[in-house]
Amino acid sequence: MWIFNVEFEESMEISMKDKKLVICDSDNEYLSVVQAYLQKRKPVGYEIMVCNSIDKVIAASKEIDIEILLIGESTYVDNINDISVQKIFILQENGMC
């Protein structure tokens, strides 16, 4: 699991007030592209986490409050509702709406 804070400040401390946005997908190449994009965009107020398995998301959800979960369509599992998260968005993988 890679964790990075995309809001770069002088202190570089992760604020407990930051909302947690978790991106989960089994495609590591896709995750690295998304990570690079978000580092450039620097969304203020969010700590971004990227995970390559749902098990890592489940483990993280036991330690932190997750505000938003973006999850790849093929990574989505039926027991996802067991994860304590405020909003879940499924990333459609075929590019069609």
Side-chain angles (χ1 to χ4, degrees):
M1 178 186 332
W2 304 286
I3 302 174
F4 59 97
N5 187 358
V6 296
E7 181 180 353
F8 297 101
E9 297 179 356
E10 289 180 24
S11 67
M12 292 300 288
E13 291 180 16
I14 296 174
S15 169
M16 293 306 291
K17 294 180 184 177
D18 284 349
K19 296 176 184 175
K20 309 304 187 262
L21 180 132
V22 177
I23 304 164
C24 180
D25 198 286
S26 57
D27 184 342
N28 288 327
E29 185 176 332
Y30 171 76
L31 285 175
S32 66
V33 170
V34 171
Q35 180 180 20
Y37 173 80
L38 290 172
Q39 284 177 322
K40 288 180 183 178
R41 297 286 302 187
K42 299 181 180 103
V44 175
Y46 281 92
E47 176 185 352
I48 309 298
M49 298 176 62
V50 290
C51 302
N52 60 4
S53 76
I54 194 64
D55 293 332
K56 293 178 182 178
V57 175
I58 292 169
S61 73
K62 293 177 182 176
E63 302 294 324
I64 61 168
D65 293 326
I66 300 173
E67 177 82 15
I68 299 172
L69 172 61
L70 304 177
I71 186 164
E73 190 174 30
S74 64
T75 309
Y76 184 87
V77 293
D78 291 334
N79 66 342
I80 195 108
N81 293 328
D82 294 340
I83 299 172
S84 177
V85 61
Q86 292 189 17
K87 297 174 187 142
I88 299 174
F89 297 95
I90 300 171
L91 302 170
Q92 194 170 16
E93 294 177 357
N94 65 6
M96 305 293 290
C97 294

